[in-house]
């Protein structure tokens, strides 16, 4: 297919595809999905080999968020039956992180629900970062605490944080349909603050809420322009008790096309399969490793993932290998250019796994949404695959890692 050959050539040169080319990837048929995966896989292997980076989430504070993000199980007014607890103590968070690191994770993502941290919250997280790094000197720590105030990113960096996550989630044009309590510009501002402080930027999107192909391309092109080091791709987890509980718009093939489009547009960036992969990719998860070079190990924030051992077996069976703690994730040109670590502070950027406003799960647009491509048929609702997390952080049960 001429389109795919062109996209591979551009990906190997780090050349931006045209919007029409990106849209054409999303418009390919299910009959062509293996060809699309094979093409995007060439770009992925060129920049990242067969390495898969493992990340581990620690939910520091769960539920009771004052924001009204429509996709979120922790939102204001959510009736989802999730775990609710206040801040974990540093030693509790360190113990939770240790489980993921023992399972092979090299990055720990510290997430807390809420609009944004108070200065006291930053102190708490700083103490937690120190507790983790005292036990695991080489671990990468990414914070995801919501909207940052002036000076907070610098304090997190001084405390030892390596990265900060804040997702754009969807296109600027549809962002107002997600929430009324903050804006798209607020998100960009927060990642600009992280960039300026020398933190590596992590910012991604959420798919599966009935958005159009144009919306998906818009947000990915915005991310490319903002130049984060890592782009988590979340697939909506339709929690009962949230406004988007009935939104089952994804098929495994659709998820693969979305991941391929992200890889073509962001060829040399860490692309992470985040929340919802078990729910929507299902048995096609191993194919997705040909597109993304990073996943979350074990459970998410308020939902359970597949067993950590199953993640490791999947990686090995698919012919990939877990990225070691001593290996550098990003290609050399991004590392030496300081990409995402202050060098692009003026560009700015827009959570991990299922994080939205600081720590939300899933994602999507409520209210009026554009109709997806006509070729797509609504997926069967697999509510049996949405399991609320009942173990790990905030409980007395062993974590999944």
């Amino acid at each position: 297919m001429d389109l795919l050959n062109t996209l591979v050539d551009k990906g190997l040169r780090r050349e931006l595809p045209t919007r029409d080319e990106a849209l054409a990837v999303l418009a390919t048929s299910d009959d062509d999905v293996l060809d699309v995966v094979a093409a995007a896989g060439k770009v992925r292997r060129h920049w990242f080999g067969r390495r898969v980076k493992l990340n581990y989430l620690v939910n520091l504070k769960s539920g009771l968020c004052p924001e009204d993000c429509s996709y979120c199980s922790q939102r204001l007014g959510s009736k989802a039956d999730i775990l609710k607890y206040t801040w974990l103590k540093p030693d509790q968070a360190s113990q939770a992180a240790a489980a993921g690191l023992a399972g092979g994770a090299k990055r720990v993502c510290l997430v807390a629900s809420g609009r944004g941290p108070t200065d006291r919250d930053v102190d708490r997280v700083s103490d937690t970062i120190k507790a983790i790094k005292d036990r695991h000197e080489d671990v990468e720590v990414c914070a995801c605490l919501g909207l940052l105030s002036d000076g907070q990113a610098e304090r997190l960096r001084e405390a030892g944080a390596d990265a900060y996550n804040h997702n754009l989630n969807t296109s600027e044009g549809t962002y107002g349909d997600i929430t009324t309590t903050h804006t798209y510009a607020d998100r960009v501002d927060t990642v600009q603050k992280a960039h300026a402080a020398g933190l590596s930027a992590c910012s991604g999107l959420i798919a599966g809420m009935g958005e159009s192909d144009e919306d998906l391309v818009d947000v990915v092109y915005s991310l490319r322009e903002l130049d984060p080091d890592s782009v988590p791709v979340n697939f909506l987890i339709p929690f009962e008790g949230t406004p988007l509980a009935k939104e089952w718009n994804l098929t495994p093939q659709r998820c693969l096309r979305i991941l391929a489009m992200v890889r073509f547009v962001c060829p040399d960036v860490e692309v992470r399969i985040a929340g919802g992969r078990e729910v929507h990719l299902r048995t096609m998860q191993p194919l997705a490793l040909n597109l993304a070079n990073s996943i979350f190990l074990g459970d998410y924030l308020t939902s359970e993932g597949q067993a950590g051992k199953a993640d490791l077996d999947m990686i090995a069976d698919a012919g990939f290998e877990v990225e070691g703690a001593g290996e550098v994730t990003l290609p050399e040109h991004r590392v030496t250019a300081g990409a995402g670590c202050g060098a692009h502070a003026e560009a700015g950027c827009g959570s991990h796994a299922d994080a939205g406003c600081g720590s939300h799960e899933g994602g999507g647009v409520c209210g009026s949404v554009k109709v997806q491509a006509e070729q797509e048929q609504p997926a069967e609702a697999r509510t049996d695959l949405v399991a609320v997390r009942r173990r790990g952080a905030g409980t007395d049960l062993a974590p999944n890692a």
Side-chain angles (χ1 to χ4, degrees):
M1 187 184 296
D2 289 343
L3 167 69
L4 297 178
N5 291 333
T6 297
L7 288 171
V8 170
D9 289 342
K10 288 187 173 184
L12 300 184
R13 299 195 304 268
R14 291 187 290 146
E15 181 181 338
L16 182 66
T18 67
R19 286 182 56 85
D20 285 345
E21 288 168 342
L23 287 167
V25 172
L26 297 178
T28 55
S29 71
D30 286 353
D31 289 341
D32 294 323
V33 72
L34 289 179
D35 293 329
V36 172
V37 171
K42 293 179 181 178
V43 178
R44 179 254 200 264
R45 287 190 298 277
H46 177 80
W47 296 112
F48 298 97
R50 303 195 71 81
R51 294 175 286 117
V52 178
K53 181 176 180 178
L54 298 182
N55 309 267
Y56 191 69
L57 279 164
V58 177
N59 196 356
L60 297 178
K61 180 167 72 79
S62 183
L64 308 175
C65 182
E67 302 296 287
D68 64 357
C69 305
S70 302
Y71 51 79
C72 181
S73 62
Q74 304 184 77
R75 73 190 294 271
L76 179 69
S78 170
K79 294 179 173 55
D81 184 24
I82 61 169
L83 290 171
K84 298 181 178 68
Y85 53 86
T86 190
W87 289 94
L88 298 182
K89 297 183 183 304
D91 62 329
Q92 293 173 313
S94 179
Q95 290 175 14
L101 296 172
K106 64 182 292 183
R107 172 174 286 193
V108 171
C109 306
L110 303 176
V111 189
S113 62
R115 177 179 177 84
T118 64
D119 287 340
R120 184 182 178 189
D121 294 337
V122 172
D123 288 339
R124 287 191 181 100
V125 176
S126 296
D127 290 343
T128 297
I129 293 170
K130 183 178 186 302
I132 292 172
K133 292 211 167 187
D134 281 348
R135 296 177 61 180
H136 308 279
E137 183 178 359
D138 297 329
V139 67
E140 296 177 13
V141 175
C142 180
C144 180
L145 312 174
L147 302 173
L148 293 175
S149 301
D150 290 344
Q152 291 183 329
E154 286 79 5
R155 291 176 58 196
L156 290 168
R157 179 65 171 164
E158 291 169 4
D162 301 284
Y164 196 83
N165 166 258
H166 206 58
N167 285 340
L168 293 186
N169 286 335
T170 192
S171 66
E172 183 174 10
T174 58
Y175 194 83
D177 294 322
I178 290 180
T179 180
T180 65
T181 49
H182 66 270
T183 66
Y184 182 92
D186 290 333
R187 288 187 171 272
V188 172
D189 176 69
T190 282
V191 186
Q192 286 177 330
K193 286 183 169 67
H195 264 304
L199 292 167
S200 175
C202 173
S203 185
L205 64 141
I206 305 165
M209 60 283 191
E211 72 279 351
S212 69
D213 287 357
E214 287 76 11
D215 289 326
L216 286 171
V217 170
D218 281 349
V219 67
V220 177
Y221 272 67
S222 294
L223 289 167
R224 163 81 182 229
E225 182 178 352
L226 296 171
D227 199 23
D229 288 333
S230 55
V231 175
V233 179
N234 296 278
F235 301 110
L236 174 69
I237 302 175
F239 271 94
E240 291 296 329
T242 66
L244 298 183
K246 305 302 181 185
E247 294 289 343
W248 289 86
N249 302 306
L250 295 171
T251 65
Q253 294 79 12
R254 171 92 171 151
C255 294
L256 291 172
R257 284 191 285 269
I258 292 169
L259 287 167
M261 185 269 287
V262 174
R263 174 55 71 198
F264 285 131
V265 177
C266 304
D268 59 340
V269 168
E270 177 188 344
V271 175
R272 182 177 308 123
I273 319 172
R277 65 177 164 93
E278 297 90 345
V279 177
H280 296 293
L281 279 163
R282 301 191 287 276
T283 59
M284 304 286 267
Q285 289 182 71
L287 270 182
L289 294 176
N290 290 279
L291 308 169
N293 62 297
S294 180
I295 66 170
F296 280 97
L297 176 72
D299 291 337
Y300 302 99
L301 296 174
T302 62
S303 66
E304 293 187 352
Q306 68 184 20
K309 185 179 185 304
D311 288 335
L312 298 175
D313 288 345
M314 175 182 72
I315 291 168
D317 290 348
F320 293 87
E321 59 187 26
V322 173
E323 184 174 290
E327 295 182 274
V328 178
T329 301
L330 294 174
E332 184 178 358
H333 66 270
R334 289 190 66 88
V335 175
T336 55
C341 295
H344 304 289
E346 294 185 6
C349 190
S351 139
H352 288 313
D354 28 33
C357 271
S359 69
H360 302 326
E361 189 136 15
V365 176
C366 87
S368 61
V369 295
K370 297 183 178 67
V371 179
Q372 62 184 9
E374 291 183 359
Q375 70 188 49
E376 296 289 340
Q377 298 298 316
E380 176 188 359
R382 291 297 306 273
T383 56
D384 59 305
L385 296 177
V386 180
V388 173
R389 181 173 68 83
R390 303 294 185 198
R391 59 197 176 194
T395 77
D396 295 327
L397 300 178
N400 172 27

